[in-house]
Amino acid sequence: MTKSKLEKNPVLTESKGKLISLNALNESRQHEYTQKEIKTEKEVKVKVNDFSFYYSSKQALQNVNMDIAPNEVTALIGPSGCGKTTFLRTINRMNDLIPGTRLEGEVIVSGQNIYHPAVDVVELRRKVGLVFQQPNPFPKSIYENVAYGPKIHGKKKRTLLDEIVEESLQQAALWDEVKDRLKDSALSLSGGQQQRLCIARVLAVRPEIILMDEPTSALDPVATQRIEDLIRKLSSGYTIIIVTHNMQQAARISDFTAFFLLGELVECGKTAQIFTKPKDTRTEEYITGRFG
Amino acid sequence: MHNFKENAIKYFFMANGMLSIIILLGIFYLLLSRSLPALQNVGLTNFFAPGYWNPTAYTTPQYSILNLIKGTFMVGAGSLIFAVPLGVACATYLAEVAGAREREVLKPIIEILAGIPSVVLGFFGLVVVAPVIAELFGLNSGINALNGSILVGIMALPTIVSLAEDAISAVPQSYRHASLALGATKWQTILRITLPAALSGIIAASMLGMGRAVGETMTVLMATGNALAKPSSFFDSVRTLSANIAIEMGEVPVGSVHYHSLFFVGFVLFMITFIINLLADVIFQRYREEI
């Protein structure tokens, strides 16, 4: 991704530091969206059809149907245990690691059903990156953390790796802070820096989609804001799907919002619409804080 | 009254804890005091001078333990070359690949290895391993350092497997998930993330295995041939420090220079295993802090 793409983030400068005016936000995003619509070939990056998911006997998701737009930020909100994290992790099949799970329906990423037996999970996870709730850098140097992904995917040339590491750290807005100590252990960084490093690590494998599982819940407000800024910046080049407990965060950073309740997708739409005139009463009750 | 009881219990447990330290210091004192006459008669430098161990020589007795130390380290290092890759591979399988039920069956079986009497293993070396080695390498006899290394490696294996498995299992799950989420395969994750993260634990496990190997007596006594000549390869017969004591202690005149020299050999052996175990412990502590 080029730098010029990164620099354009009109929404961010507008919403930073004050309570957001949702209408203004909505307008600016709508504008951005129509522009993108013309550019992209496929309007749907991830398409979920009649998807149900079970942990041994417990049903975690039922009949979810959802379309996720490319190069936008989609926020998944809902009370604890509503299935939003489960849903997020089905998109790069991280749920495969839990024994005894079962699923029905299909998840189509870039036109391919990812649960088809012929699909290579390794290749899928390269295309669909995941940022975890707790920053989890490897106990290696900062450089090695970022270079790990490209290395396992067969990139060995030092100069190429150097380039990728610098570019990824730049994109993750961490380069200036760590460029003089790339050899230091990643564990010497602060929590917020570690999380940005984890984002850089994902960016280094050039994914199409970045999944984020409450990426700021373990961070302080300043670090949180930096990550939010980063997410807005990245949305011009990546499809981002983020689980968040924080409704203000969803309103601040997302273009689309999906509300989950008891394993069901209650409502999905433009963020401004969900937060101003939700169609379902349950959504309204949740976002106005009557439960959750 | 209540206070008295509390204190009594406290001191009872403290005394028990102190006992092992007292025994350790006692052994240290015994070895050192019994080897002092030898040090006075032979001189410390002569023990480490080039030459042979031959205290019962007709003309001038020699007390050099260099060949014995070399034999000890050959068997110790040789056993590690054999046992560490095998042990780590085994531990990796148990920790990362095997299912819970498989692990429940396999781990106790590997631990049974530790329970085989060393004399039985030595016998196994004599009648099974030795002919195989002789056949494979075209030697007259398979009773040599290689044989001892293999057998001691088998003895060190349970220690290495058990501790290395603990170290690998202790690697946080989040590392594995992060690697898999980046599109790494299971084996890439194991080789590039999990094992390096467990490295200091694996090294500590190997050091403890080495400590076991260096002190081992009966098996090496039966399988290595116990020649006093300077060993030049793993196909040569060697005598270790421990085997040397076991062979000669029964026949030595009590109070002779030879008798006291054997205590000095024991003291050297004690220091070697002590240092190895200490290093293993230091590495293990460092590793705990990292996690």
XYZ file of all heavy atoms in Angstrom, chain B residues 164-249:
621
model
N 11.658 -31.641 29.464
C 11.471 -30.895 28.220
C 9.983 -30.801 27.884
O 9.516 -29.772 27.396
C 12.238 -31.560 27.075
N 9.239 -31.846 28.190
C 7.798 -31.802 27.920
C 7.131 -30.726 28.779
O 6.284 -29.976 28.300
C 7.172 -33.173 28.192
C 5.867 -33.398 27.461
C 4.657 -33.417 28.368
O 4.818 -33.518 29.602
O 3.549 -33.311 27.852
N 7.549 -30.649 30.039
C 7.019 -29.590 30.909
C 7.328 -28.217 30.317
O 6.472 -27.328 30.299
C 7.649 -29.676 32.310
C 7.148 -30.902 33.064
O 6.144 -31.487 32.607
O 7.757 -31.271 34.076
N 8.577 -28.048 29.847
C 8.988 -26.745 29.313
C 8.186 -26.387 28.067
O 7.740 -25.248 27.903
C 10.482 -26.760 28.987
N 7.962 -27.370 27.191
C 7.231 -27.091 25.955
C 5.762 -26.797 26.260
O 5.168 -25.880 25.709
C 7.373 -28.271 24.974
C 8.830 -28.403 24.523
C 6.475 -28.085 23.754
C 9.137 -29.709 23.812
N 5.202 -27.569 27.192
C 3.797 -27.346 27.547
C 3.589 -25.989 28.204
O 2.491 -25.437 28.148
C 3.302 -28.442 28.502
O 3.391 -29.691 27.883
N 4.653 -25.472 28.846
C 4.518 -24.201 29.550
C 4.566 -22.992 28.612
O 4.310 -21.872 29.036
C 5.612 -24.071 30.611
N 4.873 -23.204 27.336
C 4.883 -22.080 26.386
C 3.440 -21.581 26.225
O 2.543 -22.382 25.967
C 5.450 -22.521 25.022
C 5.272 -21.435 23.983
C 6.915 -22.892 25.154
N 3.219 -20.279 26.418
C 1.845 -19.776 26.381
C 1.141 -20.098 25.055
O 1.733 -19.994 23.992
C 2.010 -18.262 26.542
C 3.338 -18.078 27.159
C 4.186 -19.222 26.719
N -0.110 -20.485 25.176
C -0.915 -20.834 24.018
C -1.013 -19.659 23.035
O -1.129 -19.857 21.824
C -2.314 -21.225 24.526
C -3.144 -22.055 23.590
C -2.520 -23.417 23.295
O -1.618 -23.872 23.966
N -3.002 -24.056 22.250
N -0.934 -18.436 23.557
C -1.111 -17.264 22.694
C -0.016 -17.184 21.627
O -0.253 -16.673 20.536
C -1.122 -15.985 23.530
O 0.127 -15.777 24.126
N 1.194 -17.707 21.929
C 2.251 -17.706 20.919
C 1.859 -18.597 19.752
O 2.032 -18.254 18.592
C 3.575 -18.218 21.497
C 4.215 -17.348 22.549
C 5.287 -17.804 23.305
C 3.756 -16.058 22.794
C 5.883 -17.021 24.271
C 4.345 -15.268 23.765
C 5.402 -15.757 24.498
O 5.997 -14.981 25.451
N 1.359 -19.785 20.100
C 0.990 -20.738 19.041
C -0.128 -20.146 18.192
O -0.085 -20.197 16.964
C 0.509 -22.047 19.659
C 1.598 -22.825 20.341
C 1.076 -24.173 20.823
N 2.046 -24.789 21.711
C 2.098 -24.594 23.018
N 1.181 -23.839 23.603
N 3.020 -25.149 23.752
N -1.133 -19.576 18.869
C -2.268 -19.031 18.121
C -1.831 -17.895 17.206
O -2.285 -17.791 16.071
C -3.349 -18.565 19.091
C -4.140 -19.707 19.658
N -5.094 -19.545 20.638
C -4.104 -21.029 19.381
C -5.612 -20.732 20.930
N -5.020 -21.644 20.188
N -0.942 -17.030 17.724
C -0.473 -15.911 16.903
C 0.207 -16.435 15.649
O 0.006 -15.928 14.545
C 0.489 -15.038 17.702
N 1.012 -17.472 15.818
C 1.734 -18.031 14.674
C 0.774 -18.671 13.677
O 0.856 -18.430 12.469
C 2.749 -19.059 15.173
O 3.334 -19.724 14.094
N -0.163 -19.455 14.186
C -1.123 -20.112 13.292
C -1.979 -19.081 12.564
O -2.281 -19.229 11.381
C -2.019 -21.067 14.090
C -1.335 -22.300 14.673
C -2.267 -23.033 15.614
C -0.865 -23.231 13.572
N -2.345 -18.004 13.271
C -3.194 -16.981 12.659
C -2.462 -16.239 11.547
O -3.084 -15.595 10.706
C -3.685 -15.995 13.714
N -1.119 -16.306 11.552
C -0.356 -15.663 10.478
C -0.202 -16.586 9.273
O 0.459 -16.246 8.303
C 1.032 -15.272 10.983
C 1.089 -14.044 11.878
C 2.435 -13.944 12.559
C 0.817 -12.788 11.079
N -0.802 -17.784 9.367
C -0.725 -18.703 8.236
C 0.434 -19.677 8.337
O 0.826 -20.269 7.342
N 1.014 -19.816 9.541
C 2.069 -20.809 9.712
C 1.430 -22.190 9.836
O 0.330 -22.318 10.359
C 2.898 -20.509 10.956
N 2.154 -23.215 9.378
C 1.655 -24.570 9.578
C 1.986 -24.990 11.004
O 2.732 -24.311 11.710
C 2.324 -25.560 8.614
O 3.724 -25.568 8.898
C 2.115 -25.168 7.168
N 1.424 -26.121 11.401
C 1.673 -26.624 12.748
C 3.165 -26.838 12.987
O 3.693 -26.495 14.045
C 0.913 -27.936 12.918
C 0.980 -28.475 14.311
C 0.017 -29.628 14.489
C -0.012 -30.030 15.946
N -1.067 -30.973 16.252
N 3.861 -27.409 11.971
C 5.279 -27.706 12.172
C 6.136 -26.456 12.149
O 7.112 -26.351 12.872
C 5.768 -28.740 11.145
C 5.262 -30.076 11.540
C 4.268 -30.792 10.949
C 5.664 -30.837 12.690
N 4.038 -31.947 11.644
C 4.887 -32.007 12.712
C 6.612 -30.632 13.699
C 5.011 -32.972 13.702
C 6.751 -31.607 14.685
C 5.960 -32.758 14.671
N 5.768 -25.496 11.316
C 6.485 -24.211 11.362
C 6.337 -23.589 12.748
O 7.287 -23.053 13.307
C 5.928 -23.259 10.297
C 6.409 -23.587 8.899
C 5.714 -22.749 7.841
O 4.544 -22.385 7.985
N 6.416 -22.457 6.773
N 5.135 -23.659 13.288
C 4.891 -23.094 14.611
C 5.732 -23.795 15.669
O 6.356 -23.157 16.514
C 3.397 -23.209 14.955
O 2.649 -22.547 13.940
C 3.092 -22.592 16.300
N 5.783 -25.124 15.603
C 6.554 -25.877 16.597
C 8.040 -25.543 16.485
O 8.697 -25.237 17.477
C 6.330 -27.394 16.411
C 4.903 -27.765 16.844
C 7.357 -28.205 17.198
C 4.504 -29.184 16.522
N 8.572 -25.569 15.250
C 10.010 -25.402 15.076
C 10.473 -23.964 15.276
O 11.561 -23.727 15.779
C 10.442 -25.888 13.681
C 10.328 -27.390 13.457
C 10.665 -27.744 12.025
C 11.252 -28.139 14.420
N 9.642 -22.995 14.884
C 10.111 -21.608 14.918
C 9.625 -20.824 16.121
O 10.208 -19.803 16.477
C 9.675 -20.877 13.651
C 10.418 -21.359 12.431
C 9.736 -20.820 11.200
N 10.381 -21.283 9.997
C 11.000 -20.469 9.135
N 11.055 -19.186 9.351
N 11.549 -20.966 8.056
N 8.551 -21.257 16.742
C 8.020 -20.502 17.877
C 8.080 -21.306 19.179
O 8.718 -20.896 20.148
C 6.557 -20.063 17.610
C 6.477 -19.176 16.377
C 5.977 -19.358 18.832
C 7.234 -17.873 16.471
N 7.431 -22.467 19.193
C 7.285 -23.184 20.457
C 8.624 -23.672 21.008
O 8.954 -23.394 22.163
C 6.331 -24.379 20.283
O 5.221 -23.956 19.500
C 5.834 -24.857 21.627
N 9.406 -24.378 20.169
C 10.681 -24.898 20.673
C 11.652 -23.778 21.053
O 12.261 -23.845 22.123
C 11.309 -25.877 19.671
C 10.581 -27.220 19.544
C 11.328 -28.142 18.589
C 10.422 -27.899 20.890
N 11.833 -22.732 20.219
C 12.710 -21.644 20.670
C 12.242 -21.009 21.978
O 13.056 -20.659 22.826
C 12.642 -20.637 19.521
C 12.312 -21.448 18.327
C 11.414 -22.539 18.821
N 10.924 -20.890 22.154
C 10.427 -20.282 23.395
C 10.720 -21.178 24.596
O 10.866 -20.692 25.714
C 8.932 -20.008 23.282
N 10.796 -22.485 24.351
C 11.046 -23.424 25.451
C 12.525 -23.750 25.584
O 12.902 -24.607 26.374
C 10.249 -24.704 25.231
N 13.371 -23.052 24.817
C 14.772 -23.461 24.688
C 15.507 -23.558 26.018
O 16.172 -24.561 26.293
C 15.531 -22.513 23.750
C 16.922 -23.000 23.366
C 16.825 -24.293 22.583
C 17.659 -21.961 22.551
N 15.379 -22.534 26.863
C 16.168 -22.606 28.101
C 15.696 -23.760 28.974
O 16.512 -24.396 29.645
C 16.157 -21.280 28.857
O 14.939 -20.647 28.751
N 14.393 -24.068 28.949
C 13.903 -25.230 29.686
C 14.459 -26.524 29.119
O 14.809 -27.444 29.866
N 14.573 -26.569 27.793
C 15.105 -27.768 27.153
C 16.589 -27.927 27.483
O 17.062 -29.025 27.761
C 14.881 -27.704 25.621
C 13.380 -27.847 25.329
C 15.662 -28.787 24.903
C 13.008 -27.556 23.894
N 17.321 -26.806 27.492
C 18.740 -26.874 27.849
C 18.895 -27.353 29.290
O 19.722 -28.226 29.585
C 19.424 -25.498 27.655
C 19.495 -25.170 26.164
C 20.821 -25.502 28.258
C 19.998 -23.781 25.863
N 18.075 -26.812 30.178
C 18.151 -27.219 31.582
C 17.866 -28.712 31.713
O 18.550 -29.428 32.455
C 17.167 -26.414 32.420
N 16.875 -29.194 30.964
C 16.543 -30.619 30.990
C 17.732 -31.457 30.528
O 18.057 -32.478 31.131
C 15.327 -30.890 30.104
N 18.397 -30.977 29.486
C 19.551 -31.711 28.964
C 20.700 -31.729 29.972
O 21.389 -32.738 30.129
C 20.039 -31.080 27.664
O 18.978 -30.987 26.752
N 20.890 -30.588 30.659
C 21.962 -30.517 31.659
C 21.700 -31.494 32.795
O 22.616 -32.166 33.274
C 22.066 -29.099 32.235
C 22.405 -28.032 31.236
S 24.099 -28.064 30.704
C 24.891 -27.278 32.069
N 20.453 -31.572 33.235
C 20.132 -32.505 34.307
C 20.331 -33.939 33.831
O 20.804 -34.799 34.583
C 18.701 -32.291 34.800
C 18.506 -31.055 35.680
C 17.036 -30.862 36.008
C 19.311 -31.167 36.963
N 19.977 -34.197 32.568
C 20.224 -35.515 31.981
C 21.712 -35.818 31.980
O 22.149 -36.920 32.306
N 22.508 -34.808 31.666
C 23.975 -34.938 31.651
C 24.487 -35.239 33.057
O 25.365 -36.089 33.233
C 24.582 -33.619 31.148
C 26.075 -33.529 31.263
S 26.867 -33.823 29.696
C 28.549 -33.433 30.086
N 23.933 -34.548 34.051
C 24.323 -34.793 35.439
C 24.111 -36.252 35.792
O 24.947 -36.895 36.430
N 22.992 -36.767 35.356
C 22.664 -38.178 35.575
C 23.695 -39.074 34.864
O 24.195 -40.036 35.436
C 21.262 -38.410 35.022
C 20.788 -39.828 34.994
C 19.962 -40.149 36.216
N 20.032 -41.562 36.521
C 19.080 -42.426 36.251
N 17.963 -42.004 35.698
N 19.204 -43.686 36.548
N 24.009 -38.694 33.627
C 24.897 -39.525 32.802
C 26.306 -39.580 33.380
O 26.929 -40.633 33.404
C 24.933 -38.984 31.375
N 26.790 -38.427 33.871
C 28.165 -38.365 34.348
C 28.355 -39.214 35.599
O 29.385 -39.852 35.797
C 28.562 -36.891 34.605
C 29.820 -36.804 35.430
C 28.761 -36.163 33.285
N 27.339 -39.253 36.448
C 27.475 -39.977 37.696
C 27.178 -41.462 37.567
O 27.477 -42.246 38.468
N 26.579 -41.869 36.452
C 26.165 -43.256 36.282
C 27.366 -44.213 36.361
O 28.405 -43.964 35.770
C 25.441 -43.400 34.939
C 25.094 -44.792 34.541
C 24.444 -45.577 35.665
O 23.630 -44.990 36.409
O 24.749 -46.765 35.810
N 27.210 -45.313 37.120
C 28.349 -46.202 37.368
C 28.205 -47.595 36.759
O 28.981 -48.000 35.894
C 28.550 -46.374 38.890
O 28.631 -45.106 39.471
C 29.813 -47.159 39.168
N 27.202 -48.340 37.216
C 27.149 -49.765 36.912
C 27.060 -50.036 35.417
O 27.758 -50.891 34.877
C 25.967 -50.385 37.660
C 25.893 -51.886 37.549
S 27.468 -52.736 37.787
C 27.481 -52.982 39.541
N 26.203 -49.256 34.722
C 26.019 -49.486 33.294
C 27.323 -49.268 32.530
O 27.725 -50.095 31.714
C 24.944 -48.538 32.748
O 23.824 -48.604 33.611
C 24.532 -48.924 31.355
N 28.002 -48.147 32.826
C 29.233 -47.861 32.085
C 30.324 -48.849 32.451
O 31.121 -49.259 31.614
C 29.744 -46.418 32.294
C 28.872 -45.439 31.569
C 29.855 -46.060 33.740
N 30.317 -49.265 33.715
C 31.311 -50.236 34.149
C 31.188 -51.520 33.330
O 32.173 -52.134 32.946
C 31.096 -50.529 35.632
C 32.142 -51.379 36.345
C 32.464 -50.739 37.684
C 31.628 -52.783 36.575
N 29.947 -51.912 33.030
C 29.744 -53.153 32.290
C 29.933 -52.974 30.783
O 30.317 -53.915 30.098
C 28.336 -53.695 32.566
C 28.177 -54.213 33.987
S 26.476 -54.627 34.372
C 26.298 -56.199 33.561
N 29.672 -51.782 30.288
C 29.590 -51.640 28.831
C 30.775 -50.960 28.169
O 30.896 -50.997 26.954
C 28.306 -50.891 28.460
N 31.649 -50.302 28.954
C 32.685 -49.503 28.285
C 34.053 -50.173 28.255
O 34.957 -49.682 27.604
C 32.845 -48.125 28.948
O 33.161 -48.327 30.315
C 31.589 -47.303 28.813
N 34.239 -51.246 28.992
C 35.510 -51.966 28.911
C 36.567 -51.540 29.902
O 37.502 -52.268 30.172
N 36.489 -50.304 30.424
C 37.323 -49.836 31.542
C 38.820 -49.809 31.282
O 39.610 -49.909 32.218
C 37.044 -50.688 32.790
C 35.584 -50.654 33.159
O 34.990 -49.589 33.226
N 34.999 -51.816 33.352
N 39.242 -49.670 30.036
C 40.681 -49.588 29.774
C 41.230 -48.259 30.287
O 40.540 -47.248 30.275
C 40.942 -49.705 28.279
N 42.496 -48.305 30.742
C 43.093 -47.090 31.300
C 43.836 -46.272 30.256
O 44.292 -45.174 30.536
C 44.048 -47.472 32.436
C 43.327 -47.935 33.715
C 44.285 -48.666 34.630
C 42.697 -46.753 34.413
N 43.971 -46.809 29.040
C 44.694 -46.093 27.995
C 43.949 -44.819 27.599
O 42.753 -44.677 27.846
C 44.861 -46.983 26.772
N 44.696 -43.919 27.002
C 44.087 -42.660 26.582
C 43.130 -42.936 25.421
O 43.530 -43.451 24.376
C 45.186 -41.698 26.137
C 44.639 -40.329 25.804
C 45.772 -39.375 25.484
C 45.172 -38.014 25.163
N 46.176 -37.019 24.882
N 41.849 -42.613 25.573
C 40.902 -42.892 24.489
C 41.058 -41.869 23.373
O 41.243 -40.678 23.627
C 39.544 -42.761 25.167
C 39.768 -41.865 26.331
C 41.213 -41.987 26.728
N 41.034 -42.344 22.128
C 41.146 -41.392 21.024
C 39.870 -41.335 20.188
O 39.689 -40.413 19.404
C 42.342 -41.747 20.139
O 42.202 -43.062 19.671
N 38.981 -42.326 20.319
C 37.712 -42.234 19.600
C 36.632 -42.972 20.381
O 36.916 -43.624 21.395
C 37.842 -42.850 18.205
O 37.648 -44.248 18.281
N 35.407 -42.859 19.904
C 34.291 -43.512 20.588
C 34.351 -45.033 20.445
O 33.619 -45.743 21.103
C 32.955 -42.970 20.069
C 32.528 -41.724 20.772
C 32.864 -40.468 20.281
C 31.803 -41.799 21.963
C 32.483 -39.326 20.949
C 31.428 -40.658 22.643
C 31.762 -39.415 22.133
N 35.229 -45.507 19.573
C 35.345 -46.957 19.425
C 36.377 -47.533 20.398
O 36.605 -48.725 20.425
C 35.723 -47.316 17.983
C 34.675 -46.893 17.000
C 35.004 -46.152 15.875
C 33.340 -47.237 17.210
C 34.027 -45.753 14.979
C 32.361 -46.851 16.316
C 32.693 -46.100 15.202
N 37.030 -46.639 21.180
C 37.992 -47.117 22.168
C 37.286 -47.425 23.480
O 36.272 -46.827 23.812
C 39.052 -46.037 22.432
C 40.037 -45.934 21.287
O 40.060 -46.872 20.467
O 40.737 -44.917 21.206
N 37.896 -48.357 24.194
C 37.409 -48.666 25.524
C 37.808 -47.520 26.465
O 38.915 -47.004 26.382
C 38.038 -49.978 25.979
O 37.750 -50.179 27.331
N 36.908 -47.112 27.330
C 37.221 -46.017 28.259
C 36.851 -46.425 29.682
O 36.049 -47.324 29.905
C 36.456 -44.718 27.914
C 36.859 -44.193 26.555
C 34.958 -44.921 27.995
N 37.469 -45.726 30.639
C 37.067 -45.908 32.033
C 36.624 -44.553 32.579
O 37.308 -43.547 32.373
C 38.236 -46.449 32.857
C 37.817 -46.727 34.302
C 38.988 -47.107 35.157
N 39.426 -48.470 34.879
C 40.139 -49.197 35.768
N 40.450 -48.707 36.942
N 40.536 -50.413 35.459
N 35.495 -44.520 33.229
C 35.002 -43.255 33.776
C 35.419 -43.129 35.234
O 35.835 -44.101 35.868
C 33.468 -43.173 33.693
O 32.914 -44.195 34.519
C 32.971 -43.369 32.271
N 35.303 -41.923 35.776
C 35.646 -41.664 37.177
C 34.847 -42.579 38.097
O 35.378 -43.187 39.023
C 35.354 -40.198 37.516
C 36.231 -39.127 36.859
C 35.596 -37.764 37.007
C 37.625 -39.137 37.476
N 33.547 -42.666 37.805
C 32.677 -43.438 38.691
C 33.038 -44.924 38.643
O 33.153 -45.584 39.679
C 31.217 -43.220 38.314
O 31.023 -43.540 36.946
N 33.241 -45.449 37.433
C 33.579 -46.867 37.300
C 34.908 -47.151 37.986
O 35.097 -48.205 38.609
C 33.648 -47.255 35.825
N 35.836 -46.207 37.895
C 37.146 -46.379 38.510
C 37.028 -46.605 40.020
O 37.668 -47.501 40.578
C 37.997 -45.145 38.227
C 39.439 -45.346 38.641
O 40.058 -46.310 38.244
N 39.932 -44.449 39.479
N 36.181 -45.805 40.652
C 35.998 -45.965 42.099
C 35.373 -47.327 42.392
O 35.817 -48.074 43.275
C 35.106 -44.839 42.655
C 35.767 -43.468 42.401
C 34.858 -45.031 44.142
C 34.867 -42.301 42.701
N 34.334 -47.669 41.631
C 33.620 -48.916 41.883
C 34.526 -50.128 41.706
O 34.457 -51.093 42.467
C 32.420 -49.014 40.957
N 35.411 -50.065 40.714
C 36.277 -51.207 40.432
C 37.320 -51.388 41.530
O 37.580 -52.505 41.990
C 36.989 -51.018 39.067
C 35.983 -51.142 37.931
C 38.106 -52.047 38.882
C 36.499 -50.618 36.605
N 37.920 -50.280 41.970
C 39.102 -50.395 42.818
C 38.824 -50.320 44.307
O 39.628 -50.804 45.111
C 40.123 -49.318 42.408
C 40.602 -49.532 40.977
C 41.665 -48.552 40.540
O 42.042 -47.679 41.340
O 42.116 -48.664 39.384
N 37.696 -49.717 44.693
C 37.482 -49.468 46.115
C 37.435 -50.765 46.927
O 37.861 -50.804 48.077
C 36.187 -48.664 46.296
C 36.018 -48.032 47.669
S 37.494 -47.132 48.204
C 36.963 -45.466 48.109
